[in-house]
Amino acid sequence: MAEGKPIISLRNVTKDFETRSGTIRALDNISIDIVQGETYGIIGLSGAGKSTLVRCINLLETPTEGRVVFNGESLTGLSRKELNLRRREIAMIFQQFNLLMQRTALQNVCFPLEIAGVKKEEAARRGKELLKRVGLEDRVDSYPAQLSGGQKQRVGIARALASNPKVLLCDEATSALDPKTTRSILELLKDINKEFGITIVIITHEMSVIQYACDRVAIIEAGEIAEEGSVDEIFTRPKTKAAKRLVFPDQEKTDGIVGENLIRLVFDGGASYEPVIANMVIKSGAPVNIMYASIQNVEGVNKGQMILELSNIKKQSEIQLEYLNEQKIAYEEIGEVK
Ligand SMILES: Nc1ncnc2c1ncn2[C@@H]1O[C@H](COP(=O)(O)OP(=O)(O)OP(=O)(O)O)[C@@H](O)[C@H]1O
Ligand SMILES: [Mg+2]
């Protein structure tokens, strides 16, 4: 469990959908704490229950069972009116941006302010300020159709910030964008998190998004949380099958690699693989076999995995593992090391 005050706590949240063909359990007994000021990722494959989970956080969906606590107060059980007031503090952005096409960027941003009863001039002043903050001061009068995907999402973010939320929920907010634009939007979200202290919840199916933007992550699979922890932790030592599938998407390729003395090394940017292998060999005086390697150099750091066959002489394989321990390089034994 992370330190700090939880801003959102889900307690044993279950969500069933009744359909003609029966009941679908989209969420199954989910309990998580999202800490104030953090960026929290929720990742899972399509259909895992991610959208249902965010929609339960702001009660767009009512959980079938369980409680949603926001800032110390239980949201489940509030009246419609009370709930609507709290909801202003939990903003959301979407994959398809959900802008009003007949309104300009500025009018889109002002919309929630006007609904909240803010005077027109005041709303316009604040709207312009927000559009400036997201880098669109020169596009206030553009219609959504005149904006790129990244610009539309910036309008979405400005609109979300209009109500001074404590939490910003992002449901696949970058999934319709190319990698470069994704980066710039994640950068903006990180800045907003730091600058305004807004807690950010990022829903995605892309591990790179989590890696780039989140402090902690929960992995959801078939409506259940399979694993939760710091992003560093889960990237270097994924424990569950669900986590391993996401961290090593090419896991299937290595499933066939079996045998004794095999270890999987995980490079998370802390070490470079070339000297690691060379040093293992030099220190132990014995070769290691590279059975599989998939290392990517992302902005100058090595990320990926490698499967090594260690020496079959115990004394030598011990020295090889000792070296990895000394260097604090994550590994797991996938075949018995003798
Ligand atoms: N309104 C609904 N009625 C019936 N079933 C639903 C409804 N909404 C979601 N489901 C079902 O609940 C499960 C979880 O869906 P959800 O949309 O939360 O998944 P997701 O992880 O967001 O997927 P994606 O990555 O494709 O967006 C799926 O089996 C889905 O079919
Ligand atoms: Mg979804």
Side-chain angles (χ1 to χ4, degrees), residues 259-280:
E260 288 169 359
N261 298 318
L262 294 184
I263 60 164
R264 185 196 308 279
L265 291 191
V266 183
F267 292 93
D268 67 336
S272 170
Y273 61 94
E274 281 159 4
V276 167
I277 306 294
N279 285 336
M280 283 174 79

Side-chain angles (χ1 to χ4, degrees), residues 17-19 24-26 44-53 61 171-172 203 205:
F17 289 110
E18 302 301 337
T19 68
I24 293 174
R25 178 147 294 187
L45 301 175
S46 186
K50 304 181 295 293
S51 294
T52 308
L53 184 59
E61 297 283 2
D171 189 2
E172 300 278 4
I203 309 299
H205 63 277

Side-chain angles (χ1 to χ4, degrees), residues 317-334:
S317 65
E318 268 173 10
I319 296 172
Q320 291 171 341
L321 290 181
E322 214 176 85
Y323 174 73
L324 294 177
N325 288 332
E326 265 169 30
Q327 298 294 312
K328 296 200 165 42
I329 294 163
Y331 67 85
E332 62 167 349
E333 296 182 9
I334 52 176

Side-chain angles (χ1 to χ4, degrees), residues 111-273:
F111 193 62
L113 292 169
E114 285 164 20
I115 288 181
V118 176
K119 284 215 186 75
K120 242 192 155 111
E121 301 81 59
E122 169 58 16
R125 193 192 58 75
R126 177 130 175 80
K128 279 183 193 155
E129 190 182 289
L130 287 163
L131 282 169
K132 185 167 178 213
R133 177 61 196 85
V134 299
L136 288 181
E137 64 257 63
D138 52 348
R139 303 310 294 267
V140 288
D141 295 323
S142 299
Y143 287 88
Q146 300 169 316
L147 298 172
S148 71
Q151 290 169 331
K152 280 184 228 173
Q153 196 56 289
R154 284 170 190 271
V155 177
I157 291 169
R159 179 180 58 183
L161 295 179
S163 52
N164 276 323
K166 290 197 168 64
V167 176
L168 177 59
L169 307 175
C170 314
D171 189 2
E172 300 278 4
T174 57
S175 298
L177 306 173
D178 64 55
K180 196 164 158 243
T181 312
T182 292
R183 275 287 167 104
S184 75
I185 294 293
L186 293 177
E187 204 61 57
L188 177 61
L189 291 175
K190 289 208 285 192
D191 289 347
I192 284 166
N193 167 256
K194 284 205 199 80
E195 202 176 310
F196 303 105
I198 295 176
T199 307
I200 296 193
V201 182
I202 294 182
I203 309 299
T204 180
H205 63 277
E206 288 174 292
M207 213 56 188
S208 57
V209 168
I210 298 283
Q211 203 171 5
Y212 190 68
C214 299
D215 303 322
R216 288 196 308 138
V217 61
I219 293 168
I220 181 168
E221 190 178 62
E224 293 180 66
I225 301 295
E227 196 167 336
E228 196 208 23
S230 79
V231 170
D232 288 348
E233 204 174 283
I234 291 197
F235 262 92
T236 45
R237 288 176 190 270
K239 293 184 200 76
T240 58
K241 270 216 169 101
K244 285 180 183 174
R245 257 200 299 279
L246 288 162
V247 177
F248 312 127
D250 48 2
Q251 180 88 26
E252 300 86 64
K253 286 189 212 155
T254 65
D255 275 354
I257 305 174
V258 288
E260 288 169 359
N261 298 318
L262 294 184
I263 60 164
R264 185 196 308 279
L265 291 191
V266 183
F267 292 93
D268 67 336
S272 170
Y273 61 94

